[in-house]
PDB file of all heavy atoms in Angstrom:
ATOM      1  N   PRO A 115     -17.863 -24.901 114.189  1.00 92.00           N
ATOM      2  CA  PRO A 115     -17.103 -24.549 115.401  1.00 92.00           C
ATOM      3  C   PRO A 115     -16.032 -25.565 115.802  1.00 92.00           C
ATOM      4  O   PRO A 115     -14.932 -25.178 116.205  1.00 92.00           O
ATOM      5  CB  PRO A 115     -18.184 -24.435 116.481  1.00 92.00           C
ATOM      6  CG  PRO A 115     -19.423 -24.095 115.734  1.00 92.00           C
ATOM      7  CD  PRO A 115     -19.306 -24.788 114.409  1.00 92.00           C
ATOM      8  N   VAL A 117     -14.404 -27.627 113.864  1.00 94.00           N
ATOM      9  CA  VAL A 117     -13.331 -27.581 112.871  1.00 94.00           C
ATOM     10  C   VAL A 117     -12.470 -26.337 113.082  1.00 94.00           C
ATOM     11  O   VAL A 117     -11.239 -26.414 113.050  1.00 94.00           O
ATOM     12  CB  VAL A 117     -13.898 -27.626 111.435  1.00 94.00           C
ATOM     13  CG1 VAL A 117     -12.796 -27.449 110.403  1.00 94.00           C
ATOM     14  CG2 VAL A 117     -14.643 -28.926 111.200  1.00 94.00           C
ATOM     15  N   VAL A 126      -1.562 -23.035 116.349  1.00 95.00           N
ATOM     16  CA  VAL A 126      -0.818 -22.731 117.573  1.00 95.00           C
ATOM     17  C   VAL A 126       0.282 -23.755 117.829  1.00 95.00           C
ATOM     18  O   VAL A 126       1.390 -23.390 118.223  1.00 95.00           O
ATOM     19  CB  VAL A 126      -1.787 -22.661 118.780  1.00 95.00           C
ATOM     20  CG1 VAL A 126      -1.043 -22.673 120.094  1.00 95.00           C
ATOM     21  CG2 VAL A 126      -2.654 -21.425 118.675  1.00 95.00           C
ATOM     22  N   THR A 127       0.015 -25.025 117.597  1.00 96.00           N
ATOM     23  CA  THR A 127       0.967 -26.072 117.980  1.00 96.00           C
ATOM     24  C   THR A 127       1.975 -26.434 116.900  1.00 96.00           C
ATOM     25  O   THR A 127       2.946 -27.117 117.202  1.00 96.00           O
ATOM     26  CB  THR A 127       0.223 -27.350 118.404  1.00 96.00           C
ATOM     27  OG1 THR A 127      -0.590 -27.811 117.319  1.00 96.00           O
ATOM     28  CG2 THR A 127      -0.628 -27.108 119.637  1.00 96.00           C
ATOM     29  N   SER A 128       1.778 -26.012 115.674  1.00 94.00           N
ATOM     30  CA  SER A 128       2.719 -26.364 114.605  1.00 94.00           C
ATOM     31  C   SER A 128       4.031 -25.629 114.796  1.00 94.00           C
ATOM     32  O   SER A 128       4.056 -24.404 114.922  1.00 94.00           O
ATOM     33  CB  SER A 128       2.140 -26.012 113.240  1.00 94.00           C
ATOM     34  OG  SER A 128       1.104 -26.874 112.918  1.00 94.00           O
ATOM     35  N   ARG A 142      -9.899 -14.727 105.192  1.00 92.00           N
ATOM     36  CA  ARG A 142     -10.929 -14.224 104.280  1.00 92.00           C
ATOM     37  C   ARG A 142     -12.304 -14.278 104.926  1.00 92.00           C
ATOM     38  O   ARG A 142     -13.196 -13.516 104.584  1.00 92.00           O
ATOM     39  CB  ARG A 142     -10.959 -15.049 102.992  1.00 92.00           C
ATOM     40  CG  ARG A 142      -9.706 -14.940 102.177  1.00 92.00           C
ATOM     41  CD  ARG A 142      -9.756 -15.906 101.010  1.00 92.00           C
ATOM     42  NE  ARG A 142      -8.498 -15.936 100.306  1.00 92.00           N
ATOM     43  CZ  ARG A 142      -8.381 -15.796  99.007  1.00 92.00           C
ATOM     44  NH1 ARG A 142      -9.446 -15.632  98.256  1.00 92.00           N
ATOM     45  NH2 ARG A 142      -7.196 -15.834  98.429  1.00 92.00           N
ATOM     46  N   GLU A 148     -11.926 -14.525 116.716  1.00 91.00           N
ATOM     47  CA  GLU A 148     -12.014 -14.640 118.175  1.00 91.00           C
ATOM     48  C   GLU A 148     -10.782 -15.308 118.783  1.00 91.00           C
ATOM     49  O   GLU A 148     -10.537 -15.189 119.975  1.00 91.00           O
ATOM     50  CB  GLU A 148     -13.269 -15.418 118.566  1.00 91.00           C
ATOM     51  CG  GLU A 148     -13.267 -16.869 118.073  1.00 91.00           C
ATOM     52  CD  GLU A 148     -14.565 -17.585 118.365  1.00 91.00           C
ATOM     53  OE1 GLU A 148     -14.684 -18.121 119.483  1.00 91.00           O
ATOM     54  OE2 GLU A 148     -15.416 -17.596 117.480  1.00 91.00           O
ATOM     55  N   ALA A 154      -1.793 -15.123 119.229  1.00 95.00           N
ATOM     56  CA  ALA A 154      -0.676 -14.198 119.443  1.00 95.00           C
ATOM     57  C   ALA A 154       0.082 -14.527 120.732  1.00 95.00           C
ATOM     58  O   ALA A 154       1.287 -14.318 120.813  1.00 95.00           O
ATOM     59  CB  ALA A 154      -1.190 -12.761 119.481  1.00 95.00           C
ATOM     60  N   GLN A 158       3.560 -21.372 118.617  1.00 96.00           N
ATOM     61  CA  GLN A 158       4.963 -21.748 118.710  1.00 96.00           C
ATOM     62  C   GLN A 158       5.831 -20.987 117.715  1.00 96.00           C
ATOM     63  O   GLN A 158       6.970 -20.651 118.019  1.00 96.00           O
ATOM     64  CB  GLN A 158       5.127 -23.254 118.493  1.00 96.00           C
ATOM     65  CG  GLN A 158       4.649 -24.077 119.646  1.00 96.00           C
ATOM     66  CD  GLN A 158       4.992 -25.549 119.462  1.00 96.00           C
ATOM     67  OE1 GLN A 158       5.661 -25.933 118.520  1.00 96.00           O
ATOM     68  NE2 GLN A 158       4.511 -26.362 120.383  1.00 96.00           N
ATOM     69  N   GLN A 159       5.305 -20.718 116.536  1.00 96.00           N
ATOM     70  CA  GLN A 159       6.085 -20.030 115.517  1.00 96.00           C
ATOM     71  C   GLN A 159       6.039 -18.515 115.741  1.00 96.00           C
ATOM     72  O   GLN A 159       4.963 -17.923 115.823  1.00 96.00           O
ATOM     73  CB  GLN A 159       5.539 -20.334 114.131  1.00 96.00           C
ATOM     74  CG  GLN A 159       5.750 -21.753 113.672  1.00 96.00           C
ATOM     75  CD  GLN A 159       5.299 -21.937 112.233  1.00 96.00           C
ATOM     76  OE1 GLN A 159       5.374 -21.029 111.418  1.00 96.00           O
ATOM     77  NE2 GLN A 159       4.816 -23.135 111.933  1.00 96.00           N
ATOM     78  N   ALA A 164       3.613 -12.916 115.379  1.00 97.00           N
ATOM     79  CA  ALA A 164       3.747 -11.574 114.820  1.00 97.00           C
ATOM     80  C   ALA A 164       2.579 -11.254 113.892  1.00 97.00           C
ATOM     81  O   ALA A 164       2.041 -10.143 113.923  1.00 97.00           O
ATOM     82  CB  ALA A 164       5.069 -11.453 114.068  1.00 97.00           C
ATOM     83  N   GLN A 169      -2.435  -8.281 112.904  1.00 95.00           N
ATOM     84  CA  GLN A 169      -3.852  -8.264 112.551  1.00 95.00           C
ATOM     85  C   GLN A 169      -4.678  -7.609 113.651  1.00 95.00           C
ATOM     86  O   GLN A 169      -5.645  -6.901 113.367  1.00 95.00           O
ATOM     87  CB  GLN A 169      -4.342  -9.679 112.252  1.00 95.00           C
ATOM     88  CG  GLN A 169      -3.762 -10.216 110.962  1.00 95.00           C
ATOM     89  CD  GLN A 169      -4.043 -11.676 110.727  1.00 95.00           C
ATOM     90  OE1 GLN A 169      -4.433 -12.418 111.618  1.00 95.00           O
ATOM     91  NE2 GLN A 169      -3.827 -12.110 109.507  1.00 95.00           N
ATOM     92  N   LEU A 170      -4.304  -7.821 114.898  1.00 95.00           N
ATOM     93  CA  LEU A 170      -5.022  -7.188 115.997  1.00 95.00           C
ATOM     94  C   LEU A 170      -4.727  -5.693 116.075  1.00 95.00           C
ATOM     95  O   LEU A 170      -5.633  -4.896 116.322  1.00 95.00           O
ATOM     96  CB  LEU A 170      -4.674  -7.872 117.323  1.00 95.00           C
ATOM     97  CG  LEU A 170      -5.282  -9.255 117.524  1.00 95.00           C
ATOM     98  CD1 LEU A 170      -4.652  -9.945 118.723  1.00 95.00           C
ATOM     99  CD2 LEU A 170      -6.783  -9.160 117.689  1.00 95.00           C
ATOM    100  N   VAL A 176      -5.188  -9.148 105.849  1.00 95.00           N
ATOM    101  CA  VAL A 176      -4.793  -8.982 104.453  1.00 95.00           C
ATOM    102  C   VAL A 176      -4.325 -10.329 103.939  1.00 95.00           C
ATOM    103  O   VAL A 176      -3.602 -11.049 104.625  1.00 95.00           O
ATOM    104  CB  VAL A 176      -3.656  -7.935 104.325  1.00 95.00           C
ATOM    105  CG1 VAL A 176      -3.241  -7.771 102.882  1.00 95.00           C
ATOM    106  CG2 VAL A 176      -4.085  -6.613 104.913  1.00 95.00           C
ATOM    107  N   GLY A 180      -3.708 -13.225  94.383  1.00 94.00           N
ATOM    108  CA  GLY A 180      -3.066 -13.670  93.152  1.00 94.00           C
ATOM    109  C   GLY A 180      -1.952 -12.716  92.767  1.00 94.00           C
ATOM    110  O   GLY A 180      -1.551 -11.862  93.536  1.00 94.00           O
ATOM    111  N   ARG A 182      -0.297 -10.440  89.207  1.00 97.00           N
ATOM    112  CA  ARG A 182      -0.591  -9.919  87.880  1.00 97.00           C
ATOM    113  C   ARG A 182       0.696  -9.369  87.286  1.00 97.00           C
ATOM    114  O   ARG A 182       1.465  -8.683  87.955  1.00 97.00           O
ATOM    115  CB  ARG A 182      -1.637  -8.813  87.995  1.00 97.00           C
ATOM    116  CG  ARG A 182      -1.973  -8.127  86.709  1.00 97.00           C
ATOM    117  CD  ARG A 182      -2.896  -6.977  86.951  1.00 97.00           C
ATOM    118  NE  ARG A 182      -2.326  -6.193  88.067  1.00 97.00           N
ATOM    119  CZ  ARG A 182      -2.938  -5.217  88.672  1.00 97.00           C
ATOM    120  NH1 ARG A 182      -4.140  -4.887  88.345  1.00 97.00           N
ATOM    121  NH2 ARG A 182      -2.362  -4.559  89.644  1.00 97.00           N
ATOM    122  N   GLU A 201      -8.525  -7.629 101.578  1.00 95.00           N
ATOM    123  CA  GLU A 201      -8.525  -7.364 103.019  1.00 95.00           C
ATOM    124  C   GLU A 201      -9.950  -7.255 103.538  1.00 95.00           C
ATOM    125  O   GLU A 201     -10.885  -7.016 102.782  1.00 95.00           O
ATOM    126  CB  GLU A 201      -7.737  -6.109 103.362  1.00 95.00           C
ATOM    127  CG  GLU A 201      -8.380  -4.808 102.947  1.00 95.00           C
ATOM    128  CD  GLU A 201      -7.567  -3.620 103.422  1.00 95.00           C
ATOM    129  OE1 GLU A 201      -6.403  -3.490 103.017  1.00 95.00           O
ATOM    130  OE2 GLU A 201      -8.118  -2.827 104.208  1.00 95.00           O
ATOM    131  N   LYS A 212      -2.920  -3.194 126.029  1.00 93.00           N
ATOM    132  CA  LYS A 212      -2.764  -4.611 126.368  1.00 93.00           C
ATOM    133  C   LYS A 212      -1.957  -5.325 125.287  1.00 93.00           C
ATOM    134  O   LYS A 212      -1.051  -6.107 125.587  1.00 93.00           O
ATOM    135  CB  LYS A 212      -4.145  -5.252 126.535  1.00 93.00           C
ATOM    136  CG  LYS A 212      -4.131  -6.692 126.946  1.00 93.00           C
ATOM    137  CD  LYS A 212      -5.552  -7.207 127.146  1.00 93.00           C
ATOM    138  CE  LYS A 212      -5.567  -8.657 127.531  1.00 93.00           C
ATOM    139  NZ  LYS A 212      -6.930  -9.173 127.674  1.00 93.00           N
ATOM    140  N   LEU A 214       0.134  -3.898 123.121  1.00 94.00           N
ATOM    141  CA  LEU A 214       1.489  -3.351 123.094  1.00 94.00           C
ATOM    142  C   LEU A 214       2.327  -3.913 124.236  1.00 94.00           C
ATOM    143  O   LEU A 214       3.481  -4.301 124.036  1.00 94.00           O
ATOM    144  CB  LEU A 214       1.424  -1.828 123.161  1.00 94.00           C
ATOM    145  CG  LEU A 214       2.687  -1.076 122.816  1.00 94.00           C
ATOM    146  CD1 LEU A 214       3.150  -1.402 121.412  1.00 94.00           C
ATOM    147  CD2 LEU A 214       2.461   0.408 122.959  1.00 94.00           C
ATOM    148  N   ASN A 221       9.409 -13.229 123.466  1.00 95.00           N
ATOM    149  CA  ASN A 221      10.772 -13.740 123.312  1.00 95.00           C
ATOM    150  C   ASN A 221      11.345 -13.481 121.929  1.00 95.00           C
ATOM    151  O   ASN A 221      12.557 -13.400 121.762  1.00 95.00           O
ATOM    152  CB  ASN A 221      10.818 -15.243 123.595  1.00 95.00           C
ATOM    153  CG  ASN A 221      10.565 -15.562 125.040  1.00 95.00           C
ATOM    154  OD1 ASN A 221      10.813 -14.742 125.911  1.00 95.00           O
ATOM    155  ND2 ASN A 221      10.068 -16.752 125.303  1.00 95.00           N
ATOM    156  N   ILE A 224      10.978 -10.788 116.151  1.00 97.00           N
ATOM    157  CA  ILE A 224       9.995 -10.519 115.089  1.00 97.00           C
ATOM    158  C   ILE A 224       8.752  -9.878 115.690  1.00 97.00           C
ATOM    159  O   ILE A 224       8.211  -8.903 115.165  1.00 97.00           O
ATOM    160  CB  ILE A 224       9.631 -11.817 114.339  1.00 97.00           C
ATOM    161  CG1 ILE A 224      10.843 -12.413 113.664  1.00 97.00           C
ATOM    162  CG2 ILE A 224       8.534 -11.575 113.324  1.00 97.00           C
ATOM    163  CD1 ILE A 224      10.621 -13.807 113.114  1.00 97.00           C
ATOM    164  N   VAL A 225       8.305 -10.410 116.812  1.00 97.00           N
ATOM    165  CA  VAL A 225       7.111  -9.882 117.483  1.00 97.00           C
ATOM    166  C   VAL A 225       7.417  -8.525 118.106  1.00 97.00           C
ATOM    167  O   VAL A 225       6.613  -7.590 118.004  1.00 97.00           O
ATOM    168  CB  VAL A 225       6.589 -10.877 118.539  1.00 97.00           C
ATOM    169  CG1 VAL A 225       5.396 -10.316 119.277  1.00 97.00           C
ATOM    170  CG2 VAL A 225       6.238 -12.206 117.892  1.00 97.00           C
ATOM    171  N   GLU A 238       2.555   9.492 120.327  1.00 89.00           N
ATOM    172  CA  GLU A 238       2.133  10.764 120.907  1.00 89.00           C
ATOM    173  C   GLU A 238       0.962  10.612 121.876  1.00 89.00           C
ATOM    174  O   GLU A 238       0.716  11.497 122.688  1.00 89.00           O
ATOM    175  CB  GLU A 238       1.794  11.795 119.824  1.00 89.00           C
ATOM    176  CG  GLU A 238       0.698  11.395 118.885  1.00 89.00           C
ATOM    177  CD  GLU A 238       1.180  10.637 117.654  1.00 89.00           C
ATOM    178  OE1 GLU A 238       2.394  10.483 117.477  1.00 89.00           O
ATOM    179  OE2 GLU A 238       0.328  10.186 116.894  1.00 89.00           O
ATOM    180  N   LEU A 243       4.171   5.650 129.351  1.00 89.00           N
ATOM    181  CA  LEU A 243       4.331   4.273 128.878  1.00 89.00           C
ATOM    182  C   LEU A 243       5.097   4.259 127.559  1.00 89.00           C
ATOM    183  O   LEU A 243       5.940   3.382 127.334  1.00 89.00           O
ATOM    184  CB  LEU A 243       2.967   3.586 128.708  1.00 89.00           C
ATOM    185  CG  LEU A 243       3.015   2.151 128.203  1.00 89.00           C
ATOM    186  CD1 LEU A 243       3.734   1.253 129.200  1.00 89.00           C
ATOM    187  CD2 LEU A 243       1.620   1.632 127.924  1.00 89.00           C
ATOM    188  N   PHE A 251      12.839  -0.751 124.029  1.00 96.00           N
ATOM    189  CA  PHE A 251      13.133  -1.172 122.664  1.00 96.00           C
ATOM    190  C   PHE A 251      14.514  -0.686 122.215  1.00 96.00           C
ATOM    191  O   PHE A 251      15.225  -1.395 121.505  1.00 96.00           O
ATOM    192  CB  PHE A 251      12.064  -0.674 121.699  1.00 96.00           C
ATOM    193  CG  PHE A 251      10.747  -1.393 121.816  1.00 96.00           C
ATOM    194  CD1 PHE A 251       9.559  -0.693 121.720  1.00 96.00           C
ATOM    195  CD2 PHE A 251      10.683  -2.751 122.020  1.00 96.00           C
ATOM    196  CE1 PHE A 251       8.337  -1.336 121.819  1.00 96.00           C
ATOM    197  CE2 PHE A 251       9.471  -3.413 122.129  1.00 96.00           C
ATOM    198  CZ  PHE A 251       8.300  -2.710 122.031  1.00 96.00           C
ATOM    199  N   LYS A 269      11.575  10.657 118.133  1.00 93.00           N
ATOM    200  CA  LYS A 269      10.234  11.215 117.893  1.00 93.00           C
ATOM    201  C   LYS A 269       9.660  11.817 119.168  1.00 93.00           C
ATOM    202  O   LYS A 269       9.017  12.868 119.120  1.00 93.00           O
ATOM    203  CB  LYS A 269       9.322  10.105 117.348  1.00 93.00           C
ATOM    204  CG  LYS A 269       8.070  10.610 116.697  1.00 93.00           C
ATOM    205  CD  LYS A 269       7.351   9.515 115.967  1.00 93.00           C
ATOM    206  CE  LYS A 269       6.079  10.047 115.354  1.00 93.00           C
ATOM    207  NZ  LYS A 269       5.320   9.029 114.655  1.00 93.00           N
ATOM    208  N   GLN A 271      11.445  13.139 121.586  1.00 92.00           N
ATOM    209  CA  GLN A 271      12.175  14.391 121.809  1.00 92.00           C
ATOM    210  C   GLN A 271      11.615  15.503 120.943  1.00 92.00           C
ATOM    211  O   GLN A 271      11.512  16.648 121.385  1.00 92.00           O
ATOM    212  CB  GLN A 271      13.662  14.206 121.527  1.00 92.00           C
ATOM    213  CG  GLN A 271      14.378  13.422 122.597  1.00 92.00           C
ATOM    214  CD  GLN A 271      15.852  13.188 122.238  1.00 92.00           C
ATOM    215  OE1 GLN A 271      16.280  13.454 121.128  1.00 92.00           O
ATOM    216  NE2 GLN A 271      16.605  12.665 123.202  1.00 92.00           N
TER     217      GLN A 271
END
Side-chain angles (χ1 to χ4, degrees):
V117 175
V126 167
T127 59
S128 289
R142 295 174 187 231
E148 64 185 274
Q158 287 187 5
Q159 291 186 32
Q169 290 171 345
L170 287 169
V176 180
R182 176 186 48 189
E201 71 176 61
K212 183 177 179 182
L214 194 59
N221 292 334
I224 298 170
V225 178
E238 60 270 356
L243 179 63
F251 288 140
K269 197 169 178 181
Q271 286 177 350

